[in-house]
């Protein structure tokens, strides 16, 4: 049995009857950019994360960039994040002219190690971006305690962590803002590009809304200069249809993860993902570690089981960031997870048979 890594077509089939009228409405009203569908979605997405505001933007990368921009991060500044993330986290920093400073991750949660964070802070540190990677929130109580002690704003990269919680609070509620991606494959995905920022800060929300739309809050009057980071009306409509289903999809992901974890624990040298005791992990990705990663990857691929690597080369070793001067060995945990991590099929609509097939194939591999 073939098992795809993710199946977006299947989800569409279940939503078609709601989706087509919503999208048609956009064409009939011609509200293609921002407009009511985006405003409605922003309001509901903010509510879903217990946040005062959500600002819809073009991508998750825009979401991260717009917060740093609104915080006046710029040339000469440093922003601390992790090397074990998608490159967009660091690009958002580079786009402001600031320098990304990496710290290693915790070996169990794969998120920013707060003990290393404190050591990386310098007088130039203007912001800290913990990444709620794979859907697991970072150690936000510890990170916030350090950041608050130094008076440094925290921007949460929640691009993979819609509805995730830490210590009973939604992601995006710890720092000054949370950045979300609505890339199609995300837990909440648009039918194209999309992103959003949540915040409780009135002034920051106002400024980000302006930056998103060329620095204006009145058409053709520009108090500051900004960019075009507006969310499409069509994507607002799509996301508005999908959002009411997100909690149930998240429960399904968590249930699938539970089955994987119960049956893969103790198999060969597999290390299953650990949910930190204070976290509600939303399993955007289900990533196991094994010293036999490359051969397991080939074995599953040959059996038409979709797998992925998130991410095979850490940012500090990427060609694009060679100017930062990092070298192999600088972040040993990050490097180990990059070499050993394998993402298994994970999406809400996975069936018991499909999960069984994946687990059976992994059992066969270790036999
Ligand atoms: C951790 C992380 N940060 C940022 C982004 C950027 O989001 P987008 O692709 O919507 O620009 C992504 C998306 O892949 C991500 O996974």
């Amino acid at each position: 049995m073939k098992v795809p890594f993710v199946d977006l077509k299947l989800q569409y089939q279940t939503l078609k009857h709601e989706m087509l009228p919503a999208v048609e409405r956009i064409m009939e009203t011609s509200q293609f950019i921002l407009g009511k569908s985006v405003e409605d979605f922003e309001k509901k997405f903010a509510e879903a994360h217990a946040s005062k505001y959500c600002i819809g933007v073009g991508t998750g990368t825009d979401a991260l960039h717009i917060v740093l921009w609104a915080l006046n991060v710029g040339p000469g500044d440093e922003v601390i994040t992790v090397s074990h993330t998608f490159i967009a986290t660091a690009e958002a920093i580079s786009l402001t002219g600031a320098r990304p400073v990496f710290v290693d991750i915790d070996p169990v949660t794969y998120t920013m190690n707060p003990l290393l964070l404190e050591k990386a802070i310098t007088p130039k540190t203007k912001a800290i971006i913990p990444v709620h990677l794979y859907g697991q929130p970072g150690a936000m109580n510890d990170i916030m305690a350090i950041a608050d002690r130094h008076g440094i704003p925290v921007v949460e990269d929640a691009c993979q962590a819609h509805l995730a919680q830490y210590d009973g609070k939604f992601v995006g509620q710890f720092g000054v803002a949370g950045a979300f991606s609505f890339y199609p494959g995300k837990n909440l995905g648009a039918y194209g590009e999309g992103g959003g920022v949540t915040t409780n800060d009135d002034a920051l929300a106002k400024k980000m809304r302006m930056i998103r739309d060329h620095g204006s809050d009145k058409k053709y009057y520009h108090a500051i200069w900004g960019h075009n980071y507006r969310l499409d009306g069509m994507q607002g409509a799509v996301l508005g249809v999908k959002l009411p289903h997100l909690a149930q999809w998240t429960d399904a992901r968590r249930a699938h993860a539970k089955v994987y974890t119960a049956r893969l624990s103790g198999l060969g040298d597999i290390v299953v993902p650990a949910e930190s005791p204070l976290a509600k992990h939303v399993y955007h990705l289900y990533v196991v570690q094994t010293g036999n990663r490359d051969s397991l990857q080939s074995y599953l691929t040959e059996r038409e089981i979709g797998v992925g690597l998130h991410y095979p080369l850490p940012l500090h070793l990427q060609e694009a960031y060679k100017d930062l001067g990092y070298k192999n060995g600088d972040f040993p945990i990050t490097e180990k997870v990059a070499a050993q991590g394998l993402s298994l099929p994970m999406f809400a609509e996975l069936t018991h048979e499909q999960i069984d097939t994946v687990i059976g194939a992994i059992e066969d591999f270790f036999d």
Side-chain angles (χ1 to χ4, degrees):
M1 178 194 235
K2 260 192 193 177
V3 186
F5 183 64
V6 64
D7 188 345
L8 302 181
K9 290 189 213 108
L10 193 59
Q11 191 195 63
Y12 171 62
Q13 291 310 322
T14 69
L15 295 173
K16 202 169 176 175
H17 62 290
E18 294 177 75
M19 197 59 85
L20 294 180
V23 169
E24 194 174 17
R25 216 169 299 128
I26 299 300
M27 289 184 278
E28 274 169 359
T29 59
S30 295
Q31 283 202 327
F32 294 118
I33 310 289
L34 298 175
K36 188 173 178 328
S37 69
V38 170
E39 279 164 32
D40 289 351
F41 169 70
E42 287 175 336
K43 193 163 167 287
K44 291 193 176 119
F45 190 78
E47 272 168 24
H49 289 83
S51 187
K52 199 162 169 190
Y53 304 105
C54 168
I55 295 108
V57 293
T59 65
T61 312
D62 295 350
L64 287 162
H65 182 210
I66 209 167
V67 188
L68 297 177
W69 186 337
L71 290 172
N72 299 317
V73 174
D77 297 334
E78 293 176 354
V79 177
I80 302 174
T81 190
V82 286
S83 171
H84 184 55
T85 178
F86 180 58
I87 192 168
T89 318
E91 282 173 324
I93 300 166
S94 303
L95 280 166
T96 67
R99 177 190 172 88
V101 172
F102 299 125
V103 294
D104 211 348
I105 50 169
D106 176 90
V108 176
T109 63
Y110 312 147
T111 60
M112 179 181 277
N113 185 333
L115 300 172
L116 301 173
L117 164 64
E118 180 118 52
K119 291 188 198 134
I121 293 174
T122 74
K124 291 183 181 170
T125 309
K126 268 291 182 65
I128 298 165
I129 311 185
V131 182
H132 305 315
L133 201 73
Y134 306 154
Q136 164 117 283
M140 292 315 295
N141 292 345
D142 293 344
I143 290 170
M144 289 312 301
I146 295 163
D148 288 347
R149 198 156 59 239
H150 292 268
I152 301 168
V154 169
V155 179
E156 296 172 58
D157 184 337
C159 283
Q160 300 188 0
H162 317 73
L163 293 188
Q165 292 183 34
Y166 190 78
D167 204 4
K169 264 164 69 174
F170 284 104
V171 292
Q173 288 296 300
F174 294 87
V176 290
F180 292 83
S181 165
F182 305 126
Y183 180 79
K186 293 293 196 280
N187 289 22
L188 180 65
Y191 287 169
E193 302 278 6
V197 184
T198 57
T199 185
N200 294 321
D201 184 315
D202 299 345
L204 196 67
K206 185 162 186 263
K207 192 168 174 189
M208 289 192 291
R209 258 185 223 293
M210 289 175 74
I211 295 172
R212 160 181 84 170
D213 197 7
H214 301 290
S216 79
D217 54 9
K218 185 174 163 200
K219 201 167 170 109
Y220 301 133
Y221 290 83
H222 308 274
I224 52 174
W225 57 271
H227 204 304
N228 175 359
Y229 280 167
R230 298 175 301 225
L231 182 64
D232 283 2
M234 201 86 86
Q235 303 312 337
V238 168
L239 292 164
V241 167
K242 285 190 170 195
L243 184 59
H245 300 276
L246 182 59
Q248 184 214 323
W249 292 334
T250 304
D251 290 345
R253 285 175 182 272
R254 286 176 56 77
H256 302 330
K258 211 168 162 184
V259 178
Y260 272 140
T261 294
R263 293 191 45 202
L264 294 176
S265 299
L267 206 61
D269 69 341
I270 288 243
V271 178
V272 293
E275 182 168 0
S276 123
L278 290 179
K280 183 178 173 192
H281 194 319
V282 295
Y283 292 99
H284 170 56
L285 293 168
Y286 186 91
V287 182
V288 296
Q289 276 196 72
T290 164
N292 304 294
R293 196 270 305 276
D294 294 347
S295 41
L296 179 59
Q297 180 186 12
S298 310
Y299 189 85
L300 295 177
T301 306
E302 272 162 30
R303 276 154 193 75
E304 299 188 296
I305 293 173
V307 289
L309 303 183
H310 300 93
Y311 297 89
L313 186 64
L315 298 188
H316 69 281
L317 301 178
Q318 293 280 354
E319 178 82 16
Y321 277 122
K322 67 172 187 294
D323 291 354
L324 295 178
Y326 291 110
K327 59 183 185 320
N328 216 341
D330 282 347
F331 304 112
I333 310 294
T334 291
E335 289 163 22
K336 181 169 177 244
V337 176
Q340 300 201 345
L342 185 68
S343 309
L344 303 182
M346 175 54 81
F347 50 97
E349 298 78 10
L350 263 181
T351 63
H352 292 306
E353 290 73 27
Q354 287 175 318
I355 296 176
D356 232 32
T357 303
V358 178
I359 295 170
I362 298 174
E363 283 168 347
D364 290 347
F365 173 81
F366 281 105
D367 272 352

